[in-house]
Amino acid sequence: MWQDIVFLCGSVFSLLVLVPTLRDSMANIPLGTSLPSATIGIIYGTAFFTLGMNLSAAGSFLTGIMWSLIAILRSPNPLNDSADPEVETQSPRYSGAQHAD
């Protein structure tokens, strides 16, 4: 059915648009964006599969997987910021108490 092809095309477009984000090591996508998008992709894929729209299901599952990879690889990780004790966390200009004399 033609609707299956239309939804597949939308998913393929989403995948193409997300590839640069996944490849960019400087990209910083919040978990509040990537996790809901991954969840929606998986839920849509399941719904399409139960409707017999296998192409749409595959595209939605792949989009959900892509968002999952972005969540894992491109979301800010607060543990990585404090991993290096040599890195100064405050600017020396603003460290310590400031007094008005």
Side-chain angles (χ1 to χ4, degrees):
M1 71 176 92
W2 66 271
Q3 294 93 340
D4 202 12
I5 301 295
V6 169
F7 287 122
L8 175 63
C9 290
S11 293
V12 168
F13 177 75
S14 294
L15 290 169
L16 293 174
V17 170
L18 291 174
V19 167
T21 301
L22 191 59
R23 294 186 67 192
D24 182 3
S25 63
M26 298 300 289
N28 202 1
I29 309 299
L31 286 174
T33 299
S34 55
L35 287 180
S37 297
T39 303
I40 288 169
I42 301 300
I43 290 171
Y44 280 7
T46 303
F48 286 137
F49 182 73
T50 62
L51 291 170
M53 300 173 73
N54 295 329
L55 297 176
S56 299
S60 292
F61 279 128
L62 289 173
T63 302
I65 290 169
M66 179 73 85
W67 274 110
S68 297
L69 290 171
I70 289 171
I72 292 166
L73 299 173
R74 301 295 175 239
S75 293
N77 186 349
L79 299 176
N80 285 345
D81 293 340
S82 62
D84 188 1
E86 302 276 330
V87 175
E88 191 172 322
T89 58
Q90 291 184 354
S91 170
R93 188 165 137 197
Y94 296 109
S95 62
Q98 303 223 351
H99 301 284
D101 291 327

Coordinates of all heavy atoms in Angstrom, one line a residue:
M1 N 0.8 -1.2 0.0 CA 0.0 0.0 0.0 C 0.9 1.2 0.0 O 2.0 1.2 0.5 CB -1.0 -0.1 1.1 CG -0.5 0.1 2.5 SD -1.8 0.1 3.8 CE -2.0 -1.6 4.2
W2 N 0.4 2.3 -0.6 CA 1.2 3.5 -0.8 C 1.5 4.2 0.5 O 2.6 4.8 0.6 CB 0.5 4.4 -1.8 CG -0.8 5.0 -1.3 CD1 -2.1 4.5 -1.4 CD2 -1.0 6.2 -0.5 NE1 -3.0 5.3 -0.8 CE2 -2.3 6.4 -0.2 CE3 -0.1 7.2 -0.1 CZ2 -2.8 7.5 0.5 CZ3 -0.6 8.3 0.6 CH2 -1.9 8.4 0.9
Q3 N 0.7 4.1 1.5 CA 1.0 4.7 2.8 C 2.3 4.2 3.4 O 3.0 4.9 4.1 CB -0.2 4.5 3.8 CG -1.5 5.2 3.4 CD -2.4 4.3 2.5 OE1 -2.0 3.3 2.0 NE2 -3.7 4.7 2.5
D4 N 2.5 2.9 3.2 CA 3.7 2.2 3.8 C 4.9 2.9 3.2 O 5.9 3.2 3.9 CB 3.7 0.7 3.4 CG 4.6 -0.1 4.3 OD1 5.0 0.4 5.4 OD2 4.7 -1.3 4.0
I5 N 4.9 3.2 1.9 CA 6.0 3.8 1.2 C 6.2 5.2 1.6 O 7.3 5.7 1.9 CB 5.8 3.8 -0.4 CG1 5.7 2.4 -0.9 CG2 6.9 4.5 -1.1 CD1 6.9 1.5 -0.7
V6 N 5.1 6.0 1.9 CA 5.2 7.3 2.3 C 5.9 7.4 3.7 O 6.8 8.2 3.9 CB 3.8 8.0 2.4 CG1 3.8 9.3 3.1 CG2 3.2 8.2 1.0
F7 N 5.4 6.5 4.6 CA 6.0 6.5 6.0 C 7.5 6.1 5.9 O 8.3 6.6 6.7 CB 5.2 5.7 6.9 CG 3.9 6.3 7.4 CD1 2.7 5.6 7.1 CD2 3.9 7.5 8.0 CE1 1.5 6.1 7.5 CE2 2.7 8.1 8.4 CZ 1.5 7.4 8.1
L8 N 7.8 5.1 5.0 CA 9.2 4.7 4.9 C 10.1 5.9 4.4 O 11.2 6.1 4.9 CB 9.3 3.5 3.9 CG 10.7 3.1 3.6 CD1 11.5 2.6 4.8 CD2 10.7 2.0 2.5
C9 N 9.6 6.6 3.4 CA 10.3 7.8 2.9 C 10.6 8.8 4.0 O 11.7 9.4 4.1 CB 9.6 8.4 1.7 SG 9.5 7.4 0.2
G10 N 9.6 9.1 4.9 CA 9.8 10.0 6.0 C 10.8 9.5 6.9 O 11.7 10.3 7.4
S11 N 10.8 8.2 7.2 CA 11.9 7.6 8.1 C 13.2 7.7 7.5 O 14.2 8.0 8.2 CB 11.5 6.2 8.4 OG 10.4 6.1 9.2
V12 N 13.3 7.4 6.2 CA 14.6 7.5 5.5 C 15.2 8.9 5.5 O 16.3 9.2 5.8 CB 14.5 6.9 4.1 CG1 15.8 7.3 3.3 CG2 14.3 5.4 4.1
F13 N 14.3 9.9 5.3 CA 14.7 11.3 5.4 C 15.2 11.6 6.8 O 16.2 12.3 7.0 CB 13.5 12.2 5.0 CG 13.8 13.7 5.2 CD1 14.7 14.3 4.2 CD2 13.4 14.4 6.2 CE1 15.0 15.6 4.3 CE2 13.7 15.8 6.3 CZ 14.5 16.4 5.4
S14 N 14.5 11.2 7.8 CA 14.9 11.4 9.2 C 16.3 10.8 9.5 O 17.2 11.4 10.1 CB 14.0 10.8 10.2 OG 12.7 11.5 10.2
L15 N 16.5 9.6 9.0 CA 17.8 8.9 9.1 C 18.9 9.7 8.4 O 20.0 9.9 9.0 CB 17.8 7.5 8.5 CG 17.0 6.5 9.3 CD1 16.8 5.2 8.5 CD2 17.6 6.2 10.7
L16 N 18.7 10.2 7.2 CA 19.7 11.0 6.5 C 20.0 12.3 7.2 O 21.2 12.7 7.3 CB 19.2 11.3 5.1 CG 19.1 10.1 4.2 CD1 18.5 10.5 2.8 CD2 20.5 9.4 4.0
V17 N 19.0 12.9 7.8 CA 19.2 14.2 8.6 C 20.0 13.9 9.9 O 20.8 14.8 10.3 CB 17.9 14.8 8.8 CG1 18.0 16.0 9.8 CG2 17.2 15.3 7.5
L18 N 19.8 12.8 10.5 CA 20.5 12.5 11.8 C 21.9 12.0 11.6 O 22.6 12.1 12.6 CB 19.6 11.4 12.5 CG 18.3 11.9 13.0 CD1 17.5 10.8 13.7 CD2 18.5 13.1 14.0
V19 N 22.3 11.5 10.5 CA 23.6 11.0 10.3 C 24.7 12.0 10.7 O 25.7 11.7 11.4 CB 23.8 10.4 8.9 CG1 25.3 10.1 8.6 CG2 23.0 9.1 8.7
P20 N 24.6 13.2 10.2 CA 25.7 14.2 10.6 C 25.8 14.4 12.1 O 26.9 14.6 12.6 CB 25.2 15.5 9.9 CG 24.4 15.0 8.7 CD 23.7 13.8 9.2
T21 N 24.6 14.4 12.8 CA 24.7 14.5 14.2 C 25.4 13.4 14.9 O 26.2 13.6 15.8 CB 23.2 14.6 14.8 OG1 22.6 15.7 14.2 CG2 23.2 14.8 16.3
L22 N 25.2 12.2 14.4 CA 25.8 11.0 15.0 C 27.3 11.0 14.7 O 28.1 10.6 15.5 CB 25.2 9.7 14.4 CG 25.6 8.4 15.1 CD1 25.3 8.5 16.6 CD2 24.9 7.3 14.4
R23 N 27.7 11.5 13.5 CA 29.1 11.6 13.1 C 29.9 12.7 13.8 O 31.1 12.6 13.9 CB 29.2 11.7 11.6 CG 28.7 10.4 10.9 CD 28.9 10.5 9.5 NE 30.4 10.4 9.3 CZ 31.0 10.6 8.1 NH1 30.3 10.9 7.1 NH2 32.3 10.5 8.0
D24 N 29.2 13.8 14.2 CA 29.9 14.9 14.8 C 30.2 14.7 16.2 O 29.4 14.7 17.1 CB 29.0 16.2 14.6 CG 29.6 17.4 15.1 OD1 30.8 17.4 15.6 OD2 28.9 18.5 15.1
S25 N 31.5 14.6 16.5 CA 31.9 14.3 17.9 C 31.7 15.5 18.8 O 31.7 15.3 20.0 CB 33.4 13.9 17.9 OG 34.2 14.9 17.5
M26 N 31.5 16.7 18.3 CA 31.2 17.8 19.1 C 29.8 18.1 19.4 O 29.4 19.0 20.1 CB 31.8 19.1 18.4 CG 33.3 19.0 18.2 SD 34.2 18.9 19.8 CE 34.0 20.5 20.5
A27 N 28.9 17.3 18.7 CA 27.5 17.4 18.9 C 27.1 17.1 20.4 O 27.7 16.2 21.0 CB 26.7 16.5 18.0
N28 N 26.1 17.9 20.9 CA 25.7 17.7 22.3 C 24.2 17.8 22.3 O 23.6 18.9 22.4 CB 26.3 18.9 23.1 CG 26.4 18.6 24.5 OD1 26.1 17.5 25.0 ND2 26.9 19.6 25.3
I29 N 23.6 16.6 22.2 CA 22.1 16.5 22.2 C 21.6 16.1 23.6 O 22.0 15.0 24.0 CB 21.7 15.5 21.1 CG1 22.3 15.8 19.8 CG2 20.1 15.5 21.0 CD1 22.0 17.2 19.2
P30 N 20.7 16.9 24.2 CA 20.2 16.5 25.5 C 19.5 15.2 25.5 O 18.8 14.9 24.5 CB 19.3 17.7 25.9 CG 19.6 18.7 24.9 CD 20.2 18.1 23.7
L31 N 19.5 14.5 26.6 CA 18.8 13.2 26.8 C 17.3 13.5 26.7 O 16.5 12.7 26.3 CB 19.1 12.6 28.1 CG 20.4 11.9 28.1 CD1 20.7 11.3 29.6 CD2 20.5 10.7 27.1
G32 N 16.8 14.7 27.1 CA 15.4 15.1 27.0 C 14.9 15.2 25.6 O 13.7 15.1 25.4
T33 N 15.8 15.2 24.7 CA 15.4 15.2 23.2 C 15.6 13.8 22.6 O 14.7 13.3 22.0 CB 16.3 16.2 22.4 OG1 16.1 17.5 23.0 CG2 16.0 16.2 21.0
S34 N 16.7 13.2 22.9 CA 17.1 12.0 22.2 C 16.3 10.8 22.7 O 15.8 9.9 22.0 CB 18.6 11.7 22.3 OG 19.0 11.7 23.6
L35 N 16.1 10.7 24.1 CA 15.4 9.5 24.6 C 13.9 9.5 24.2 O 13.4 8.4 23.8 CB 15.6 9.4 26.1 CG 16.9 9.0 26.6 CD1 17.0 8.9 28.1 CD2 17.3 7.7 26.0
P36 N 13.2 10.6 24.3 CA 11.8 10.5 23.8 C 11.7 10.2 22.3 O 10.8 9.5 21.9 CB 11.2 11.9 24.1 CG 12.1 12.4 25.2 CD 13.4 11.8 25.0
S37 N 12.6 10.8 21.5 CA 12.6 10.5 20.1 C 12.9 9.0 19.8 O 12.2 8.4 18.9 CB 13.6 11.4 19.4 OG 13.3 12.7 19.5
A38 N 13.8 8.4 20.5 CA 14.1 7.0 20.4 C 12.9 6.2 20.8 O 12.5 5.2 20.1 CB 15.3 6.6 21.2
T39 N 12.2 6.5 21.9 CA 11.0 5.8 22.3 C 9.9 5.9 21.3 O 9.3 4.9 21.0 CB 10.6 6.4 23.7 OG1 11.7 6.3 24.6 CG2 9.4 5.6 24.2
I40 N 9.7 7.1 20.8 CA 8.6 7.2 19.8 C 8.9 6.4 18.5 O 8.0 5.8 18.0 CB 8.5 8.7 19.4 CG1 7.8 9.5 20.6 CG2 7.6 8.9 18.1 CD1 7.9 11.0 20.5
G41 N 10.2 6.3 18.1 CA 10.5 5.5 16.9 C 10.2 4.1 17.2 O 9.7 3.4 16.3
I42 N 10.5 3.6 18.3 CA 10.3 2.1 18.7 C 8.8 1.9 18.8 O 8.3 0.9 18.2 CB 11.0 1.7 20.0 CG1 12.5 2.0 19.8 CG2 10.7 0.3 20.3 CD1 13.2 1.2 18.8
I43 N 8.1 2.8 19.4 CA 6.6 2.6 19.5 C 5.9 2.7 18.2 O 5.1 1.8 17.8 CB 6.0 3.6 20.5 CG1 6.5 3.3 21.9 CG2 4.5 3.7 20.4 CD1 6.1 4.4 22.9
Y44 N 6.3 3.6 17.3 CA 5.7 3.7 16.0 C 6.1 2.5 15.2 O 5.2 2.0 14.4 CB 6.3 5.0 15.3 CG 5.6 6.3 15.6 CD1 4.7 6.3 16.6 CD2 5.9 7.4 14.9 CE1 4.1 7.5 17.0 CE2 5.3 8.6 15.2 CZ 4.4 8.7 16.3 OH 3.8 9.9 16.6
G45 N 7.3 2.0 15.3 CA 7.7 0.8 14.6 C 6.9 -0.4 15.0 O 6.4 -1.2 14.1
T46 N 6.6 -0.5 16.3 CA 5.7 -1.6 16.8 C 4.3 -1.5 16.2 O 3.7 -2.5 15.8 CB 5.7 -1.6 18.3 OG1 7.1 -1.8 18.8 CG2 4.9 -2.8 18.9
A47 N 3.8 -0.2 16.3 CA 2.4 0.0 15.7 C 2.3 -0.3 14.3 O 1.4 -1.0 13.8 CB 2.0 1.4 16.0
F48 N 3.3 0.1 13.5 CA 3.3 -0.2 12.1 C 3.4 -1.7 11.8 O 2.7 -2.2 10.9 CB 4.4 0.6 11.3 CG 4.2 2.1 11.2 CD1 5.2 2.9 11.4 CD2 3.0 2.6 10.8 CE1 5.1 4.3 11.3 CE2 2.8 3.9 10.6 CZ 3.8 4.8 10.9
F49 N 4.2 -2.4 12.6 CA 4.4 -3.8 12.4 C 3.0 -4.5 12.6 O 2.7 -5.4 11.9 CB 5.5 -4.3 13.3 CG 5.7 -5.8 13.1 CD1 6.4 -6.3 12.0 CD2 5.3 -6.7 14.1 CE1 6.6 -7.6 11.8 CE2 5.5 -8.1 13.9 CZ 6.2 -8.5 12.8
T50 N 2.3 -4.1 13.7 CA 1.0 -4.8 14.0 C 0.0 -4.5 12.9 O -1.0 -5.2 12.8 CB 0.5 -4.4 15.4 OG1 0.3 -3.0 15.4 CG2 1.5 -4.7 16.5
L51 N 0.2 -3.4 12.1 CA -0.8 -3.0 11.1 C -0.4 -3.7 9.7 O -1.0 -3.5 8.7 CB -0.8 -1.5 10.9 CG -1.4 -0.7 12.0 CD1 -1.2 0.8 11.8 CD2 -2.9 -1.0 12.1
G52 N 0.7 -4.4 9.8 CA 1.2 -5.1 8.5 C 2.0 -4.2 7.6 O 2.2 -4.5 6.5
M53 N 2.4 -3.0 8.1 CA 3.2 -2.0 7.3 C 4.6 -2.3 7.7 O 5.3 -1.5 8.4 CB 2.7 -0.6 7.7 CG 1.2 -0.4 7.4 SD 0.6 1.2 7.9 CE 1.4 2.3 6.8
N54 N 5.2 -3.3 7.1 CA 6.5 -3.7 7.4 C 7.6 -2.7 7.0 O 8.6 -2.6 7.7 CB 6.8 -5.1 6.8 CG 5.9 -6.2 7.4 OD1 5.5 -6.1 8.6 ND2 5.6 -7.2 6.6
L55 N 7.5 -2.1 5.9 CA 8.5 -1.1 5.5 C 8.5 0.1 6.4 O 9.5 0.6 6.9 CB 8.2 -0.6 4.1 CG 8.3 -1.7 3.0 CD1 7.9 -1.1 1.6 CD2 9.7 -2.2 2.9
S56 N 7.3 0.6 6.8 CA 7.2 1.7 7.8 C 7.8 1.2 9.1 O 8.4 2.0 9.8 CB 5.7 2.1 8.0 OG 5.2 2.5 6.7
A57 N 7.5 0.0 9.5 CA 8.0 -0.5 10.8 C 9.5 -0.5 10.8 O 10.1 -0.1 11.8 CB 7.4 -1.9 11.1
A58 N 10.1 -1.0 9.7 CA 11.6 -1.0 9.6 C 12.2 0.4 9.7 O 13.1 0.6 10.4 CB 12.0 -1.7 8.3
G59 N 11.6 1.3 9.0 CA 12.1 2.7 9.0 C 11.9 3.3 10.4 O 12.9 4.0 10.8
S60 N 10.8 3.1 11.0 CA 10.6 3.6 12.4 C 11.6 3.0 13.4 O 12.1 3.7 14.2 CB 9.2 3.5 12.8 OG 8.4 4.3 12.0
F61 N 11.8 1.7 13.3 CA 12.7 1.0 14.2 C 14.1 1.6 14.0 O 14.8 1.8 15.0 CB 12.7 -0.5 14.0 CG 11.6 -1.2 14.7 CD1 10.8 -2.1 14.0 CD2 11.3 -1.0 16.0 CE1 9.7 -2.8 14.6 CE2 10.3 -1.7 16.7 CZ 9.5 -2.5 16.0
L62 N 14.5 1.7 12.7 CA 15.9 2.3 12.4 C 16.0 3.7 13.0 O 17.1 4.1 13.5 CB 16.2 2.2 10.9 CG 16.4 0.8 10.4 CD1 16.5 0.9 8.9 CD2 17.6 0.2 11.0
T63 N 15.0 4.5 12.8 CA 15.0 5.9 13.4 C 15.1 5.8 14.9 O 15.9 6.6 15.5 CB 13.7 6.6 13.0 OG1 13.7 6.7 11.5 CG2 13.8 8.1 13.5
G64 N 14.4 4.9 15.6 CA 14.5 4.8 17.0 C 15.9 4.3 17.4 O 16.4 4.8 18.4
I65 N 16.5 3.4 16.6 CA 17.9 3.0 16.9 C 18.8 4.1 16.7 O 19.8 4.3 17.5 CB 18.2 1.8 16.0 CG1 17.4 0.6 16.5 CG2 19.7 1.5 16.1 CD1 17.5 -0.6 15.5
M66 N 18.6 4.9 15.7 CA 19.5 6.1 15.4 C 19.5 7.1 16.6 O 20.5 7.5 17.1 CB 19.2 6.8 14.1 CG 20.0 8.0 13.8 SD 21.7 7.6 13.3 CE 21.4 7.3 11.6
W67 N 18.3 7.4 17.1 CA 18.1 8.3 18.2 C 18.7 7.6 19.5 O 19.3 8.4 20.3 CB 16.7 8.6 18.5 CG 16.2 9.8 17.6 CD1 15.4 9.8 16.6 CD2 16.6 11.2 17.8 NE1 15.2 11.0 16.1 CE2 16.0 11.9 16.8 CE3 17.5 11.8 18.7 CZ2 16.1 13.3 16.7 CZ3 17.6 13.2 18.5 CH2 17.0 13.9 17.6
S68 N 18.6 6.3 19.6 CA 19.3 5.7 20.8 C 20.8 5.8 20.7 O 21.4 6.1 21.8 CB 18.9 4.2 20.8 OG 17.5 4.0 20.9
L69 N 21.4 5.7 19.6 CA 22.8 5.9 19.4 C 23.2 7.3 19.7 O 24.2 7.5 20.3 CB 23.2 5.5 18.0 CG 23.2 4.0 17.7 CD1 23.5 3.8 16.2 CD2 24.2 3.2 18.5
I70 N 22.4 8.2 19.3 CA 22.6 9.6 19.6 C 22.6 9.9 21.1 O 23.4 10.6 21.7 CB 21.7 10.6 18.8 CG1 22.0 10.6 17.3 CG2 21.7 12.0 19.4 CD1 21.0 11.2 16.4
A71 N 21.6 9.3 21.8 CA 21.5 9.4 23.2 C 22.7 8.8 23.9 O 23.2 9.4 24.9 CB 20.2 8.6 23.7
I72 N 23.2 7.7 23.4 CA 24.4 7.1 24.0 C 25.7 7.9 23.7 O 26.5 8.1 24.6 CB 24.5 5.6 23.6 CG1 23.4 4.8 24.1 CG2 25.9 5.0 24.0 CD1 23.3 3.4 23.4
L73 N 25.9 8.3 22.5 CA 27.1 8.8 22.1 C 27.2 10.4 22.1 O 28.3 10.9 22.2 CB 27.4 8.4 20.6 CG 27.6 6.9 20.5 CD1 27.7 6.5 19.0 CD2 28.8 6.3 21.3
R74 N 26.1 11.0 22.0 CA 26.1 12.5 21.8 C 25.4 13.3 22.9 O 25.2 14.5 22.7 CB 25.6 12.9 20.4 CG 26.3 12.3 19.3 CD 27.7 12.8 19.2 NE 28.5 12.1 18.2 CZ 29.6 11.4 18.4 NH1 30.1 11.3 19.6 NH2 30.2 10.8 17.4
S75 N 25.0 12.6 24.0 CA 24.4 13.4 25.1 C 25.4 13.8 26.1 O 26.4 13.1 26.3 CB 23.3 12.5 25.8 OG 22.3 12.2 24.9
P76 N 25.2 14.9 26.7 CA 26.2 15.4 27.7 C 26.2 14.4 28.8 O 25.2 13.8 29.3 CB 25.6 16.7 28.2 CG 24.4 17.0 27.4 CD 24.1 15.8 26.6
N77 N 27.5 14.1 29.3 CA 27.7 13.1 30.4 C 28.4 13.9 31.5 O 29.6 14.2 31.4 CB 28.5 11.9 29.9 CG 28.6 10.9 30.9 OD1 28.3 11.0 32.1 ND2 29.1 9.7 30.5
P78 N 27.7 14.1 32.6 CA 28.3 14.9 33.7 C 29.5 14.1 34.3 O 30.4 14.7 34.9 CB 27.2 15.1 34.7 CG 26.2 14.1 34.4 CD 26.3 13.8 32.9
L79 N 29.6 12.8 34.2 CA 30.7 12.0 34.7 C 32.0 12.3 33.9 O 33.1 12.3 34.5 CB 30.4 10.6 34.7 CG 29.2 10.1 35.5 CD1 28.9 8.7 35.4 CD2 29.4 10.5 37.0
N80 N 31.9 12.6 32.6 CA 33.1 12.9 31.8 C 33.7 14.2 32.2 O 34.9 14.4 32.0 CB 32.7 12.8 30.3 CG 32.6 11.4 29.8 OD1 32.9 10.5 30.5 ND2 32.0 11.3 28.7
D81 N 32.9 15.2 32.6 CA 33.4 16.5 33.0 C 34.3 16.5 34.2 O 35.3 17.2 34.2 CB 32.2 17.5 33.2 CG 31.4 17.7 32.0 OD1 32.0 17.5 30.9 OD2 30.3 18.2 32.1
S82 N 34.1 15.6 35.1 CA 34.9 15.6 36.3 C 35.9 14.4 36.3 O 36.5 14.1 37.3 CB 34.0 15.4 37.5 OG 33.3 14.2 37.5
A83 N 36.1 13.7 35.2 CA 36.9 12.6 35.1 C 38.4 13.0 35.2 O 39.2 12.2 35.7 CB 36.7 11.8 33.8
D84 N 38.8 14.1 34.8 CA 40.2 14.6 34.8 C 40.4 15.6 36.0 O 40.0 16.7 35.9 CB 40.6 15.2 33.5 CG 42.1 15.5 33.4 OD1 42.8 15.2 34.3 OD2 42.5 16.0 32.3
P85 N 41.1 15.2 37.1 CA 41.2 16.1 38.2 C 42.2 17.2 37.9 O 42.2 18.2 38.6 CB 41.8 15.2 39.3 CG 42.4 14.0 38.6 CD 41.6 13.9 37.3
E86 N 43.0 17.1 36.8 CA 43.9 18.2 36.4 C 43.2 19.4 35.8 O 43.7 20.5 35.8 CB 44.9 17.6 35.4 CG 45.7 16.5 35.9 CD 46.9 16.9 36.7 OE1 47.4 18.0 36.4 OE2 47.3 16.2 37.6
V87 N 41.9 19.1 35.3 CA 41.2 20.2 34.6 C 40.6 21.1 35.7 O 39.9 20.6 36.6 CB 40.1 19.6 33.7 CG1 39.2 20.7 33.1 CG2 40.7 18.8 32.6
E88 N 40.9 22.4 35.6 CA 40.3 23.3 36.6 C 38.8 23.6 36.2 O 38.5 23.8 35.1 CB 41.1 24.6 36.5 CG 40.8 25.6 37.6 CD 41.7 26.8 37.6 OE1 42.9 26.6 37.2 OE2 41.3 27.9 37.8
T89 N 38.0 23.5 37.3 CA 36.6 23.6 37.0 C 36.1 25.1 37.1 O 35.0 25.4 36.6 CB 35.8 22.8 38.0 OG1 36.1 23.2 39.4 CG2 36.1 21.3 37.8
Q90 N 36.8 26.0 37.8 CA 36.4 27.4 37.9 C 37.4 28.2 37.2 O 38.6 27.9 37.2 CB 36.3 27.8 39.3 CG 35.2 27.2 40.1 CD 35.1 27.7 41.5 OE1 35.9 28.5 41.9 NE2 34.0 27.4 42.2
S91 N 37.0 29.3 36.7 CA 37.9 30.3 36.1 C 38.6 31.0 37.2 O 38.0 31.4 38.2 CB 37.0 31.3 35.3 OG 37.9 32.4 34.9
P92 N 39.9 31.2 37.1 CA 40.7 31.8 38.2 C 40.2 33.2 38.4 O 40.3 33.8 39.5 CB 42.1 31.8 37.7 CG 42.1 31.2 36.3 CD 40.8 30.8 36.0
R93 N 39.6 33.8 37.4 CA 39.1 35.2 37.6 C 38.0 35.3 38.6 O 37.8 36.3 39.3 CB 38.6 35.7 36.2 CG 38.3 37.1 36.1 CD 38.2 37.4 34.6 NE 37.0 38.2 34.4 CZ 36.5 38.4 33.3 NH1 37.0 37.8 32.2 NH2 35.5 39.2 33.1
Y94 N 37.2 34.3 38.8 CA 36.1 34.3 39.6 C 36.2 33.4 40.9 O 35.3 33.2 41.6 CB 34.8 33.9 38.9 CG 34.5 34.8 37.8 CD1 34.6 34.5 36.5 CD2 34.0 36.1 38.1 CE1 34.3 35.4 35.4 CE2 33.7 37.0 37.1 CZ 33.9 36.6 35.8 OH 33.6 37.5 34.8
S95 N 37.4 32.8 41.0 CA 37.5 31.8 42.2 C 37.8 32.6 43.4 O 38.3 33.7 43.4 CB 38.7 30.9 41.9 OG 39.9 31.6 41.8
G96 N 37.3 32.1 44.5 CA 37.5 32.7 45.8 C 36.5 33.8 46.1 O 35.7 34.2 45.3
A97 N 36.6 34.3 47.3 CA 35.7 35.4 47.7 C 36.2 36.7 47.2 O 37.4 36.9 47.1 CB 35.6 35.4 49.2
Q98 N 35.3 37.5 46.8 CA 35.6 38.8 46.3 C 35.2 39.9 47.4 O 34.0 39.8 47.9 CB 34.9 39.1 45.0 CG 35.3 38.0 44.0 CD 35.6 38.6 42.7 OE1 35.4 39.8 42.4 NE2 36.1 37.8 41.8
H99 N 36.0 40.8 47.7 CA 35.7 41.8 48.7 C 35.8 43.2 48.1 O 36.6 43.5 47.3 CB 36.7 41.7 49.9 CG 36.8 40.4 50.5 ND1 35.8 40.0 51.4 CD2 37.7 39.4 50.5 CE1 36.1 38.8 51.9 NE2 37.2 38.4 51.3
A100 N 34.8 44.0 48.5 CA 34.9 45.4 48.1 C 35.6 46.2 49.2 O 35.1 46.2 50.3 CB 33.5 45.9 47.9
D101 N 36.7 46.8 48.8 CA 37.4 47.6 49.8 C 37.2 49.1 49.7 O 37.0 49.7 48.7 CB 38.9 47.3 49.8 CG 39.2 45.9 50.3 OD1 38.5 45.5 51.2 OD2 40.2 45.4 49.7

